[in-house]
């Protein structure tokens, strides 16, 4: 169980204890002492309880999506479609049964959202095959433009292999690609894309551009807006940027511990 889930379970247990304590007090006070203030406190605690349970449901949903992604990644190594379908049915059945213990108002919406997420993973697995969950390095800008046009959502990293910050960005993109397999992540050396470099007016590397159905949504220049230093940034910062620009609609529970190689270069961006 993740640290986040453990923390929320503890919060949930605490709120339940408060409710039980206040209800016990009301039982005594109802014998003749006004209990309006206590009832108001109970209502407040119940509202907190519902919020905490909603957060727990979101985390459980993310766990289910990540588990399905892992199964899809394994499936590209030889598992059959029938095995994946069986896994989907099992996950939905477990979540359906679990929902009986949760707030009923979240049940149907949660299962519908899960089916949509699973569907996106299935489509990505069908389209990408062995490249599922990986950064695709492209060597031709015409091929790159074709891939961007066909993808529903994608990110393109314009990089130079010898630039330290580009190496860091490639590491972070690789971590994100594994956790959000429905987002196509592409990379091309800037020197292999002279037309796009000029058209997009790329002056500093790395640059990551996000596209939806071939149209640019946003871009990252250097490590701007990712919450790190001039030489490094956390992968969570990149995921938050993706979430903010609606490239993804959930956050991963954990990321593999990867650390970029530190260097003695200055904090200035690499000019191309």
């Amino acid at each position: 169980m993740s640290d986040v889930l453990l923390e929320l379970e503890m919060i949930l247990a605490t709120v339940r204890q408060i409710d039980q304590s206040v209800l016990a007090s009301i039982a005594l006070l109802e014998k003749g002492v006004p209990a309006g203030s206590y009832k108001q406190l109970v209502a407040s605690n119940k509202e907190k309880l519902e919020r905490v349970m909603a957060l727990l449901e979101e985390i459980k949903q993310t766990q289910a999506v990540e588990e399905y992604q892992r199964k899809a990644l394994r499936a590209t190594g030889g598992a059959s479609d029938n095995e994946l379908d069986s896994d989907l049915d099992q996950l939905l059945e477990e979540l359906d049964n679990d929902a009986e213990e949760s707030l009923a108002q979240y049940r149907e919406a949660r299962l519908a959202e899960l089916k949509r997420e699973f569907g996106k993973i299935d489509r990505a697995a069908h389209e990408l095959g062995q490249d599922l969950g990986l950064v695709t390095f492209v060597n031709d800008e015409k091929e790159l433009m074709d891939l961007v046009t066909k993808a529903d959502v994608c990110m393109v990293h314009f990089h130079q292999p010898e630039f330290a910050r580009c190496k860091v960005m490639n590491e972070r993109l690789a971590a994100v690609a594994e956790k959000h397999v429905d987002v196509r992540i592409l990379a091309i050396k800037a020197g292999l894309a002279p037309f796009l470099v000029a058209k997009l007016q790329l002056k500093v590397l790395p640059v990551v551009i996000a596209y939806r159905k071939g149209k640019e949504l946003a871009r990252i220049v250097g490590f701007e807006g990712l919450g790190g230093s001039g030489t490094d940034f956390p992968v969570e910062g990149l995921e938050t940027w993706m979430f903010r620009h609606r490239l993804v609609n959930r956050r991963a529970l954990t990321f593999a511990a990867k650390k970029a190689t530190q260097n003695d270069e200055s904090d200035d961006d690499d000019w191309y």
Side-chain angles (χ1 to χ4, degrees), residues 165 168-169 172-173 222-223 226-229 231-235 237-238:
R165 292 171 186 79
V168 173
M169 182 62 77
R172 302 296 177 262
L173 287 170
F223 294 165
L226 299 179
S229 65
T231 59
D232 198 4
F233 66 91
V235 65
L238 178 58

Side-chain angles (χ1 to χ4, degrees), residues 77-247:
S80 68
D81 290 340
N82 289 336
E83 288 178 290
L84 201 55
D85 289 341
S86 176
D87 291 333
L88 170 58
D89 293 339
Q90 181 181 354
L91 276 171
L92 290 176
E93 182 179 355
E94 290 174 358
L95 288 162
D96 196 22
N97 293 336
D98 183 58
E100 294 176 2
E101 302 175 1
S102 305
L103 297 176
Q105 66 194 79
Y106 298 107
R107 179 176 178 272
E108 294 301 327
R110 185 163 65 99
L111 291 177
E113 178 61 26
L114 277 173
K115 289 179 181 178
R116 285 193 292 271
E117 289 294 316
F118 291 166
K120 289 193 292 185
I121 294 169
D122 287 340
R123 288 192 295 274
H126 176 73
E127 293 172 3
L128 301 182
Q130 296 290 338
D131 288 336
L132 185 71
L134 301 174
V135 177
T136 302
F137 289 86
V138 182
N139 294 319
D140 179 79
E141 60 183 340
K142 290 183 179 179
E143 179 187 357
L144 176 69
M145 288 187 284
D146 184 55
L147 292 172
V148 169
T149 301
K150 291 179 179 178
D152 182 33
V153 177
C154 73
M155 296 166 63
V156 180
H157 179 207
F158 293 89
H159 70 108
Q160 284 295 104
E162 64 271 21
F163 289 178
R165 292 171 186 79
C166 291
K167 294 177 183 177
V168 173
M169 182 62 77
N170 276 332
E171 287 185 8
R172 302 296 177 262
L173 287 170
V176 166
E178 186 178 6
K179 291 293 185 177
H180 297 282
V181 300
D182 54 310
V183 178
R184 187 75 189 269
I185 299 183
L186 308 166
I188 189 169
K189 296 178 185 177
L192 298 177
F195 172 77
L196 289 174
V197 167
K199 181 177 177 61
L200 298 171
Q201 300 181 351
L202 306 184
K203 304 295 183 183
V204 175
L205 297 178
V207 171
V208 175
I209 302 180
Y211 294 90
R212 184 182 297 279
K213 298 187 183 301
K215 295 184 178 180
E216 181 177 338
L217 290 177
R219 65 173 64 186
I220 302 169
V221 179
F223 294 165
E224 185 179 34
L226 299 179
S229 65
T231 59
D232 198 4
F233 66 91
V235 65
E236 291 83 1
L238 178 58
E239 186 188 47
T240 296
W241 182 88
M242 295 169 66
F243 188 85
R244 186 166 62 246
H245 292 286
R246 299 184 179 181
L247 301 173

